[in-house]
Amino acid sequence: MQVRNATPDDIPLIFSFIKKKAEFDRNIGAFNGVLRVTEAKIRQTIFSEIPVAYVLFAETSEREIGFALYGFRYSSFAGQPSIWLDDLYVDEDMRSQGAGAALMSHLAQIAQQHNCTHLAWNADARNTRGLSFYHRLGAEIIEQKGNRCFLTWIPGTKIER
């Protein structure tokens, strides 16, 4: 299992993973909207001179099996950045084989390199498998509004329960 940064050649692959993630979210009732993303928008936003997001892929020797889409936020009060994880998705037939952990481990390294205070994201409460995975990492649900759980994780620390 390898984790790599996306390149402009990966735009169709990024688009396909975003569509798969949207379908997953639709299936659990977490998304019922219309995707407005296009390959052109991905090129313009992720591969511009100043990217607004970044993409990692988990891959085997055969194919890419998962992706993480993230960006940085800055806290003026902390004087440090954090990472906002917008999407984490692993192909259904490859789940529980280490791809999600590899992606999160790579994100933890990026957070450490950039002196980030934490990683944050949200997940749907109906995604029990995902929430269990995040719990094993040491992430904490800091707030829940309806089915939307807001999580934080400080890499390298396991939250005592």
mmCIF file of all heavy atoms in Angstrom, residues 102-131:
data_model
loop_
_atom_site.group_PDB
_atom_site.id
_atom_site.type_symbol
_atom_site.label_atom_id
_atom_site.label_comp_id
_atom_site.label_asym_id
_atom_site.label_seq_id
_atom_site.Cartn_x
_atom_site.Cartn_y
_atom_site.Cartn_z
ATOM 1 N N ALA A 102 -3.649 4.235 6.140
ATOM 2 C CA ALA A 102 -2.477 4.775 5.438
ATOM 3 C C ALA A 102 -2.712 6.237 5.052
ATOM 4 O O ALA A 102 -1.809 7.074 5.201
ATOM 5 C CB ALA A 102 -2.166 3.931 4.198
ATOM 6 N N LEU A 103 -3.902 6.549 4.580
ATOM 7 C CA LEU A 103 -4.216 7.930 4.218
ATOM 8 C C LEU A 103 -4.182 8.835 5.450
ATOM 9 O O LEU A 103 -3.604 9.929 5.418
ATOM 10 C CB LEU A 103 -5.582 8.013 3.533
ATOM 11 C CG LEU A 103 -5.627 7.475 2.104
ATOM 12 C CD1 LEU A 103 -7.068 7.217 1.668
ATOM 13 C CD2 LEU A 103 -4.925 8.424 1.144
ATOM 14 N N MET A 104 -4.777 8.382 6.542
ATOM 15 C CA MET A 104 -4.791 9.194 7.766
ATOM 16 C C MET A 104 -3.384 9.338 8.342
ATOM 17 O O MET A 104 -3.036 10.408 8.849
ATOM 18 C CB MET A 104 -5.757 8.595 8.789
ATOM 19 C CG MET A 104 -7.222 8.671 8.362
ATOM 20 S SD MET A 104 -7.825 10.354 8.036
ATOM 21 C CE MET A 104 -8.005 10.977 9.716
ATOM 22 N N SER A 105 -2.575 8.307 8.252
ATOM 23 C CA SER A 105 -1.192 8.392 8.722
ATOM 24 C C SER A 105 -0.411 9.416 7.901
ATOM 25 O O SER A 105 0.365 10.208 8.445
ATOM 26 C CB SER A 105 -0.532 7.016 8.635
ATOM 27 O OG SER A 105 0.823 7.089 8.985
ATOM 28 N N HIS A 106 -0.641 9.412 6.598
ATOM 29 C CA HIS A 106 0.023 10.389 5.729
ATOM 30 C C HIS A 106 -0.447 11.808 6.058
ATOM 31 O O HIS A 106 0.362 12.740 6.103
ATOM 32 C CB HIS A 106 -0.240 10.053 4.264
ATOM 33 C CG HIS A 106 0.717 10.688 3.324
ATOM 34 N ND1 HIS A 106 1.931 10.128 2.993
ATOM 35 C CD2 HIS A 106 0.660 11.864 2.652
ATOM 36 C CE1 HIS A 106 2.565 10.929 2.157
ATOM 37 N NE2 HIS A 106 1.811 11.987 1.937
ATOM 38 N N LEU A 107 -1.736 11.966 6.317
ATOM 39 C CA LEU A 107 -2.249 13.275 6.719
ATOM 40 C C LEU A 107 -1.645 13.719 8.051
ATOM 41 O O LEU A 107 -1.346 14.898 8.238
ATOM 42 C CB LEU A 107 -3.772 13.250 6.820
ATOM 43 C CG LEU A 107 -4.519 13.350 5.498
ATOM 44 C CD1 LEU A 107 -5.999 13.035 5.686
ATOM 45 C CD2 LEU A 107 -4.339 14.722 4.878
ATOM 46 N N ALA A 108 -1.441 12.770 8.957
ATOM 47 C CA ALA A 108 -0.805 13.097 10.239
ATOM 48 C C ALA A 108 0.617 13.603 10.011
ATOM 49 O O ALA A 108 1.058 14.556 10.668
ATOM 50 C CB ALA A 108 -0.801 11.872 11.151
ATOM 51 N N GLN A 109 1.334 13.003 9.077
ATOM 52 C CA GLN A 109 2.691 13.464 8.750
ATOM 53 C C GLN A 109 2.658 14.871 8.170
ATOM 54 O O GLN A 109 3.490 15.715 8.511
ATOM 55 C CB GLN A 109 3.354 12.502 7.761
ATOM 56 C CG GLN A 109 3.677 11.149 8.342
ATOM 57 C CD GLN A 109 4.154 10.166 7.276
ATOM 58 O OE1 GLN A 109 4.399 10.543 6.131
ATOM 59 N NE2 GLN A 109 4.254 8.907 7.648
ATOM 60 N N ILE A 110 1.699 15.135 7.288
ATOM 61 C CA ILE A 110 1.556 16.469 6.703
ATOM 62 C C ILE A 110 1.244 17.481 7.809
ATOM 63 O O ILE A 110 1.813 18.576 7.847
ATOM 64 C CB ILE A 110 0.473 16.476 5.608
ATOM 65 C CG1 ILE A 110 0.942 15.658 4.404
ATOM 66 C CG2 ILE A 110 0.119 17.906 5.189
ATOM 67 C CD1 ILE A 110 -0.149 15.347 3.391
ATOM 68 N N ALA A 111 0.356 17.103 8.716
ATOM 69 C CA ALA A 111 0.002 17.990 9.830
ATOM 70 C C ALA A 111 1.244 18.302 10.672
ATOM 71 O O ALA A 111 1.467 19.462 11.058
ATOM 72 C CB ALA A 111 -1.080 17.344 10.693
ATOM 73 N N GLN A 112 2.046 17.303 10.936
ATOM 74 C CA GLN A 112 3.261 17.513 11.729
ATOM 75 C C GLN A 112 4.241 18.420 10.980
ATOM 76 O O GLN A 112 4.815 19.341 11.567
ATOM 77 C CB GLN A 112 3.914 16.177 12.052
ATOM 78 C CG GLN A 112 5.132 16.310 12.928
ATOM 79 C CD GLN A 112 5.754 14.968 13.262
ATOM 80 O OE1 GLN A 112 5.577 13.990 12.541
ATOM 81 N NE2 GLN A 112 6.497 14.924 14.346
ATOM 82 N N GLN A 113 4.427 18.197 9.683
ATOM 83 C CA GLN A 113 5.349 19.010 8.885
ATOM 84 C C GLN A 113 4.941 20.480 8.867
ATOM 85 O O GLN A 113 5.787 21.360 8.755
ATOM 86 C CB GLN A 113 5.407 18.485 7.445
ATOM 87 C CG GLN A 113 6.078 17.158 7.289
ATOM 88 C CD GLN A 113 5.826 16.549 5.909
ATOM 89 O OE1 GLN A 113 5.075 17.063 5.093
ATOM 90 N NE2 GLN A 113 6.466 15.409 5.664
ATOM 91 N N HIS A 114 3.646 20.748 8.951
ATOM 92 C CA HIS A 114 3.138 22.116 8.869
ATOM 93 C C HIS A 114 2.749 22.688 10.230
ATOM 94 O O HIS A 114 2.096 23.733 10.286
ATOM 95 C CB HIS A 114 1.956 22.181 7.894
ATOM 96 C CG HIS A 114 2.360 21.920 6.475
ATOM 97 N ND1 HIS A 114 2.914 22.882 5.666
ATOM 98 C CD2 HIS A 114 2.316 20.788 5.738
ATOM 99 C CE1 HIS A 114 3.183 22.359 4.487
ATOM 100 N NE2 HIS A 114 2.832 21.086 4.504
ATOM 101 N N ASN A 115 3.154 21.996 11.302
ATOM 102 C CA ASN A 115 2.890 22.459 12.666
ATOM 103 C C ASN A 115 1.400 22.701 12.906
ATOM 104 O O ASN A 115 1.009 23.698 13.523
ATOM 105 C CB ASN A 115 3.717 23.721 12.964
ATOM 106 C CG ASN A 115 3.797 24.020 14.436
ATOM 107 O OD1 ASN A 115 3.726 23.124 15.278
ATOM 108 N ND2 ASN A 115 3.939 25.293 14.776
ATOM 109 N N CYS A 116 0.570 21.794 12.413
ATOM 110 C CA CYS A 116 -0.883 21.922 12.572
ATOM 111 C C CYS A 116 -1.296 21.526 13.990
ATOM 112 O O CYS A 116 -0.704 20.630 14.599
ATOM 113 C CB CYS A 116 -1.612 21.022 11.578
ATOM 114 S SG CYS A 116 -1.424 21.540 9.859
ATOM 115 N N THR A 117 -2.325 22.173 14.480
ATOM 116 C CA THR A 117 -2.838 21.865 15.812
ATOM 117 C C THR A 117 -3.654 20.579 15.827
ATOM 118 O O THR A 117 -3.659 19.857 16.822
ATOM 119 C CB THR A 117 -3.727 23.007 16.332
ATOM 120 O OG1 THR A 117 -4.782 23.243 15.384
ATOM 121 C CG2 THR A 117 -2.916 24.278 16.553
ATOM 122 N N HIS A 118 -4.362 20.286 14.720
ATOM 123 C CA HIS A 118 -5.227 19.112 14.681
ATOM 124 C C HIS A 118 -5.770 18.915 13.267
ATOM 125 O O HIS A 118 -5.553 19.755 12.396
ATOM 126 C CB HIS A 118 -6.405 19.288 15.657
ATOM 127 C CG HIS A 118 -7.325 20.400 15.273
ATOM 128 N ND1 HIS A 118 -7.041 21.740 15.509
ATOM 129 C CD2 HIS A 118 -8.534 20.384 14.644
ATOM 130 C CE1 HIS A 118 -8.026 22.489 15.051
ATOM 131 N NE2 HIS A 118 -8.941 21.693 14.518
ATOM 132 N N LEU A 119 -6.472 17.825 13.086
ATOM 133 C CA LEU A 119 -7.266 17.589 11.883
ATOM 134 C C LEU A 119 -8.728 17.622 12.308
ATOM 135 O O LEU A 119 -9.062 17.197 13.419
ATOM 136 C CB LEU A 119 -6.975 16.222 11.272
ATOM 137 C CG LEU A 119 -5.687 16.080 10.479
ATOM 138 C CD1 LEU A 119 -4.547 15.685 11.374
ATOM 139 C CD2 LEU A 119 -5.876 15.054 9.397
ATOM 140 N N ALA A 120 -9.589 18.113 11.436
ATOM 141 C CA ALA A 120 -11.019 18.157 11.718
ATOM 142 C C ALA A 120 -11.785 17.726 10.472
ATOM 143 O O ALA A 120 -11.307 17.879 9.348
ATOM 144 C CB ALA A 120 -11.433 19.568 12.143
ATOM 145 N N TRP A 121 -12.971 17.187 10.688
ATOM 146 C CA TRP A 121 -13.843 16.785 9.588
ATOM 147 C C TRP A 121 -15.206 16.487 10.166
ATOM 148 O O TRP A 121 -15.414 16.558 11.376
ATOM 149 C CB TRP A 121 -13.275 15.580 8.831
ATOM 150 C CG TRP A 121 -13.173 14.311 9.625
ATOM 151 C CD1 TRP A 121 -14.080 13.284 9.657
ATOM 152 C CD2 TRP A 121 -12.101 13.903 10.485
ATOM 153 N NE1 TRP A 121 -13.641 12.284 10.485
ATOM 154 C CE2 TRP A 121 -12.415 12.638 10.999
ATOM 155 C CE3 TRP A 121 -10.895 14.492 10.863
ATOM 156 C CZ2 TRP A 121 -11.595 11.954 11.883
ATOM 157 C CZ3 TRP A 121 -10.060 13.813 11.742
ATOM 158 C CH2 TRP A 121 -10.408 12.553 12.236
ATOM 159 N N ASN A 122 -16.137 16.169 9.284
ATOM 160 C CA ASN A 122 -17.429 15.702 9.768
ATOM 161 C C ASN A 122 -17.778 14.400 9.079
ATOM 162 O O ASN A 122 -17.241 14.081 8.025
ATOM 163 C CB ASN A 122 -18.527 16.767 9.647
ATOM 164 C CG ASN A 122 -18.789 17.209 8.249
ATOM 165 O OD1 ASN A 122 -19.045 16.398 7.370
ATOM 166 N ND2 ASN A 122 -18.756 18.508 8.011
ATOM 167 N N ALA A 123 -18.648 13.647 9.736
ATOM 168 C CA ALA A 123 -19.093 12.362 9.212
ATOM 169 C C ALA A 123 -20.546 12.178 9.613
ATOM 170 O O ALA A 123 -21.001 12.721 10.617
ATOM 171 C CB ALA A 123 -18.239 11.231 9.772
ATOM 172 N N ASP A 124 -21.242 11.421 8.838
ATOM 173 C CA ASP A 124 -22.639 11.162 9.125
ATOM 174 C C ASP A 124 -22.759 10.087 10.203
ATOM 175 O O ASP A 124 -22.030 9.089 10.171
ATOM 176 C CB ASP A 124 -23.356 10.711 7.845
ATOM 177 C CG ASP A 124 -24.847 10.779 7.992
ATOM 178 O OD1 ASP A 124 -25.427 9.814 8.556
ATOM 179 O OD2 ASP A 124 -25.444 11.793 7.576
ATOM 180 N N ALA A 125 -23.660 10.274 11.136
ATOM 181 C CA ALA A 125 -23.850 9.312 12.223
ATOM 182 C C ALA A 125 -24.267 7.939 11.705
ATOM 183 O O ALA A 125 -24.027 6.926 12.366
ATOM 184 C CB ALA A 125 -24.899 9.839 13.207
ATOM 185 N N ARG A 126 -24.851 7.883 10.517
ATOM 186 C CA ARG A 126 -25.258 6.600 9.939
ATOM 187 C C ARG A 126 -24.081 5.833 9.363
ATOM 188 O O ARG A 126 -24.206 4.659 9.028
ATOM 189 C CB ARG A 126 -26.339 6.831 8.880
ATOM 190 C CG ARG A 126 -27.637 7.371 9.507
ATOM 191 C CD ARG A 126 -28.560 7.950 8.477
ATOM 192 N NE ARG A 126 -28.044 9.251 8.025
ATOM 193 C CZ ARG A 126 -28.756 10.150 7.384
ATOM 194 N NH1 ARG A 126 -30.006 9.897 7.077
ATOM 195 N NH2 ARG A 126 -28.212 11.295 7.033
ATOM 196 N N ASN A 127 -22.929 6.486 9.254
ATOM 197 C CA ASN A 127 -21.718 5.824 8.778
ATOM 198 C C ASN A 127 -21.007 5.192 9.990
ATOM 199 O O ASN A 127 -19.936 5.625 10.405
ATOM 200 C CB ASN A 127 -20.807 6.819 8.058
ATOM 201 C CG ASN A 127 -19.571 6.177 7.469
ATOM 202 O OD1 ASN A 127 -19.364 4.972 7.566
ATOM 203 N ND2 ASN A 127 -18.727 6.998 6.866
ATOM 204 N N THR A 128 -21.622 4.185 10.552
ATOM 205 C CA THR A 128 -21.113 3.596 11.793
ATOM 206 C C THR A 128 -19.738 2.964 11.600
ATOM 207 O O THR A 128 -18.901 3.024 12.499
ATOM 208 C CB THR A 128 -22.097 2.562 12.354
ATOM 209 O OG1 THR A 128 -22.375 1.575 11.357
ATOM 210 C CG2 THR A 128 -23.399 3.239 12.780
ATOM 211 N N ARG A 129 -19.504 2.371 10.454
ATOM 212 C CA ARG A 129 -18.195 1.771 10.186
ATOM 213 C C ARG A 129 -17.112 2.845 10.163
ATOM 214 O O ARG A 129 -16.038 2.678 10.730
ATOM 215 C CB ARG A 129 -18.237 1.010 8.870
ATOM 216 C CG ARG A 129 -17.009 0.195 8.594
ATOM 217 C CD ARG A 129 -17.214 -0.645 7.351
ATOM 218 N NE ARG A 129 -16.043 -1.443 7.070
ATOM 219 C CZ ARG A 129 -15.960 -2.291 6.069
ATOM 220 N NH1 ARG A 129 -17.000 -2.470 5.266
ATOM 221 N NH2 ARG A 129 -14.851 -2.967 5.858
ATOM 222 N N GLY A 130 -17.391 3.962 9.519
ATOM 223 C CA GLY A 130 -16.442 5.071 9.475
ATOM 224 C C GLY A 130 -16.202 5.662 10.848
ATOM 225 O O GLY A 130 -15.063 5.918 11.244
ATOM 226 N N LEU A 131 -17.268 5.860 11.612
ATOM 227 C CA LEU A 131 -17.116 6.419 12.950
ATOM 228 C C LEU A 131 -16.303 5.488 13.853
ATOM 229 O O LEU A 131 -15.496 5.950 14.664
ATOM 230 C CB LEU A 131 -18.476 6.723 13.569
ATOM 231 C CG LEU A 131 -19.225 7.898 12.942
ATOM 232 C CD1 LEU A 131 -20.626 8.004 13.531
ATOM 233 C CD2 LEU A 131 -18.462 9.201 13.107
#
